[in-house]
Amino acid sequence: MKDPLTDAARLERHRRLAAADHRHLWHPFTQMQDWLGEDPLIIDRGEGVELIDTMGRRYLDGVSSLWCNVHGHRVPELDEAVRAQLDRIAHSTLLGLASTASIECAEELVRHVPPALTRVFFSDAGATAVEIAIKMAFQHFQLRGDERRREFVSITGGYHGDTIGSVSVGGIDLFHRIFKPLLFDVHHAPQPYCYRCPLGKTLPGCAMACADAVEAIFAARPGQIAALVIEPLMQGADGMIAQPPGYLKRMRQICDRHGALLCCDEVATGWGRTGTTFAVEQEGVVPDIMTMAKGLTGGYLPLAATLTTETIFESFLGSFDSRRTFFHGHTYAGNPLGCAVATASMKLFRDRRIIEGLPARIGALARALAPLADHPHVGEIRQRGLMVGVELVRDRATKAEYEYPLRVGHQVCLEARRHGVLLRPLGNVVVLLPPLAMTVAQLEQLVAAARAGIDAVTARA
Ligand SMILES: *Cc1c(COP(=O)(O)O)cnc(C)c1O
């Protein structure tokens, strides 16, 4: 579509919108005092893997519009799925009613996950999916008469969303510390962060002592742990912290040995992100509960799902007056528009053989990143599929960090913008999380822009 506005009219419209944003919006995870002093970049349109701002400038969507976009923007098949559903109905409830779109979505969904996960509980965000997983695990054991199993284990540095339950199992000090008085107690195991091992050990000599530390928590609380909640393969929000191979499998074994459930939060890692449809596949692990959101609708609409096994589902069955019902639900659970576009996205995974096409892209991204490994201010590059964190350090030898107020990650992203790429950092970690649809040439452009940003910012920081 050609933009019919003149440059002057565009600028006028941009200024009006920017002023209204500054007057009325409160942006998530954003220091609004800084925000109010800056001219905002306002996205007006999208096309393929590009975002277009109010001034008509184009940028590569380098973090998939916060990790959710899969096939690009304005994908004809997905647009059509939303339109077709709009012609039927935009919303009806799943409380006591069924809907065509949610049935078809669940039916398609279970084809893509490990076969044991046959039950789909819909909600609308990653945080709600995790909240549901926690309550489901808890109630499951209560209903089984195993009332002492009411505690949770999670991993330091985990991120599971921003509701109080999901923050309780989360472990990012910067985000979560202030809310501590509101949270329930969770056992946080040491983070498997090999580059900065909290146990001061190194692979392979350590024999994954961090996994032993998880087991020690279980062993010290026999019969009391309901579930382990974990981001499989890679902790996203704490800075793309990649787990050593075999770690997730160890987590499965620990849960099995101690009679606890394994809950894998695939909100970030799901839908091809790490190179397989779900990250758990890479370790041959089948979780008891799995959560997903971000990529589920291809990044179109807010839809989330908590999947579980028939065994857990059956704990909740009973006569009406047994009150075994799972008393949980969100008004927009299984929203038909979201379900219709999710179904269409999942069909694209099959029809376009997207997972089969990933190795070429993942390899190209790795090759483009390889020269950065020698950069004097790159401490570590962590890549799992199309999920990358480049950790910047002041000093490679000592791994000394850049000071928090310098915002080097943020500065790198501002610089990358000048090269036509939109990124969002995590502290001193530059994140590259492209839509799976990015071509090799676009992936190279993405890395080149990040590199230009890293060069410019580390030269002056
Ligand atoms: C983003 C994220 C969430 C939260 O999802 P929302 O839709 O933002 O609530 C939960 N878990 C993981 C692993 C995530 O990356």
Side-chain angles (χ1 to χ4, degrees):
M1 185 184 76
K2 185 121 170 48
D3 190 340
L5 297 179
T6 63
D7 283 352
R10 259 195 220 148
L11 187 58
E12 160 69 26
R13 175 166 170 264
H14 172 82
R15 289 202 174 130
R16 181 173 52 75
L17 288 166
D21 179 283
H22 281 173
R23 236 186 345 267
H24 298 301
L25 271 88
W26 188 343
H27 290 262
F29 280 101
T30 301
Q31 176 41 258
M32 290 303 290
Q33 183 170 303
D34 291 340
W35 179 264
L36 295 176
E38 294 163 4
D39 182 33
L41 195 154
I42 304 174
I43 299 304
D44 194 35
R45 294 182 290 135
E47 214 173 275
V49 295
E50 288 184 334
L51 297 170
I52 304 164
D53 74 4
T54 38
M55 300 307 293
R57 286 178 296 237
R58 289 172 174 266
Y59 305 88
L60 281 183
D61 188 357
V63 289
S64 302
S65 292
L66 219 84
W67 314 2
C68 62
N69 191 276
V70 177
H71 314 287
H73 301 277
R74 297 203 9 240
V75 179
E77 292 90 338
L78 302 188
D79 291 3
E80 184 45 39
V82 178
R83 283 195 198 99
Q85 183 60 42
L86 267 177
D87 285 339
R88 293 167 168 270
I89 190 169
H91 184 68
S92 65
T93 183
L94 285 194
L95 278 67
L97 283 179
S99 70
T100 327
S102 64
I103 294 167
E104 288 170 354
C105 182
E107 202 175 26
E108 176 70 35
L109 186 43
V110 298
R111 289 188 190 145
H112 296 259
V113 298
L117 300 171
T118 46
R119 287 287 160 181
V120 183
F121 195 100
F122 282 118
S123 62
D124 37 40
T128 57
V130 172
E131 204 78 31
I132 288 159
I134 294 167
K135 289 172 75 176
M136 209 177 247
F138 181 88
Q139 189 173 342
H140 162 74
F141 286 115
Q142 296 301 305
L143 294 173
R144 288 274 180 112
D146 201 349
E147 283 102 3
R148 287 174 64 242
R149 273 196 198 274
R150 53 202 313 164
E151 299 175 17
F152 289 83
V153 177
S154 67
I155 311 294
T156 302
Y159 177 77
H160 301 288
D162 291 326
T163 56
I164 292 299
S166 57
V167 168
S168 296
V169 292
I172 301 185
D173 197 52
L174 173 67
F175 303 166
H176 300 154
R177 183 179 15 187
I178 191 161
F179 299 114
K180 198 128 205 325
L182 301 181
L183 309 179
F184 61 82
D185 280 333
V186 167
H187 307 284
H188 285 90
Q191 187 173 35
Y193 185 5
C194 298
Y195 181 65
R196 300 181 189 277
C197 178
L199 306 176
K201 299 188 187 271
T202 38
L203 271 174
C206 65
M208 256 194 269
C210 53
D212 296 336
V214 177
E215 181 138 33
I217 295 171
F218 281 75
R221 323 275 306 161
Q224 295 175 55
I225 307 295
L228 167 66
V229 181
I230 184 170
E231 290 170 83
L233 291 197
M234 182 92 122
Q235 286 180 319
D238 198 41
M240 303 298 152
I241 312 298
Q243 296 155 14
Y247 180 84
L248 186 65
K249 193 174 274 178
R250 286 278 300 277
M251 297 302 113
R252 177 71 272 183
Q253 290 161 353
I254 291 167
C255 289
D256 286 344
R257 269 202 291 279
H258 296 272
L261 303 177
L262 176 65
C263 171
C264 289
D265 180 0
E266 292 257 17
V267 169
T269 51
W271 298 108
R273 180 51 58 196
T274 67
T276 42
T277 310
F278 291 96
V280 292
E281 295 167 36
Q282 294 185 38
E283 296 255 323
V285 161
V286 179
D288 301 287
I289 304 180
M290 186 157 113
T291 53
M292 62 178 73
K294 291 190 169 98
L296 173 57
T297 60
Y300 263 57
L301 284 165
L303 181 74
T306 307
L307 279 83
T308 193
T309 60
E310 289 304 303
T311 310
I312 292 175
F313 172 72
E314 282 163 9
S315 301
F316 291 75
L317 300 180
S319 64
F320 179 75
D321 64 1
S322 72
R323 295 174 174 82
R324 299 173 81 87
T325 304
F326 190 38
F327 291 107
H328 187 109
H330 300 278
T331 306
Y332 285 102
N335 170 261
L337 288 172
C339 284
V341 73
T343 306
S345 170
M346 291 185 274
K347 287 205 173 113
L348 286 186
F349 270 91
R350 285 199 282 139
D351 297 347
R352 292 188 180 171
R353 301 176 58 79
I354 284 170
I355 299 299
E356 291 82 347
L358 285 178
R361 290 162 205 251
I362 293 166
L365 183 59
R367 279 191 299 282
L369 285 164
L372 254 184
D374 297 325
H375 193 286
H377 296 288
V378 169
E380 189 181 43
I381 301 174
R382 297 183 283 271
Q383 179 182 6
R384 290 284 184 276
L386 294 177
M387 187 169 192
V388 178
V390 179
E391 180 165 340
L392 303 180
V393 287
R394 183 174 280 296
D395 185 313
R396 260 164 86 104
T398 63
K399 302 183 181 177
E401 297 178 51
Y402 282 106
E403 299 70 19
Y404 181 75
L406 288 179
R407 304 184 75 191
V408 291
H410 177 70
Q411 298 298 333
V412 168
C413 296
L414 289 182
E415 198 63 39
R417 264 188 207 182
R418 291 193 204 127
H419 297 267
V421 169
L422 286 185
L423 296 175
R424 180 171 169 85
L426 292 162
N428 294 336
V429 176
V430 177
V431 174
L432 305 180
L433 221 123
L436 306 189
M438 261 198 195
T439 63
V440 168
Q442 288 163 330
L443 291 169
E444 286 167 355
Q445 188 195 336
L446 174 69
V447 174
R451 164 111 214 190
I454 291 170
D455 285 342
V457 171
T458 58
R460 66 176 187 241

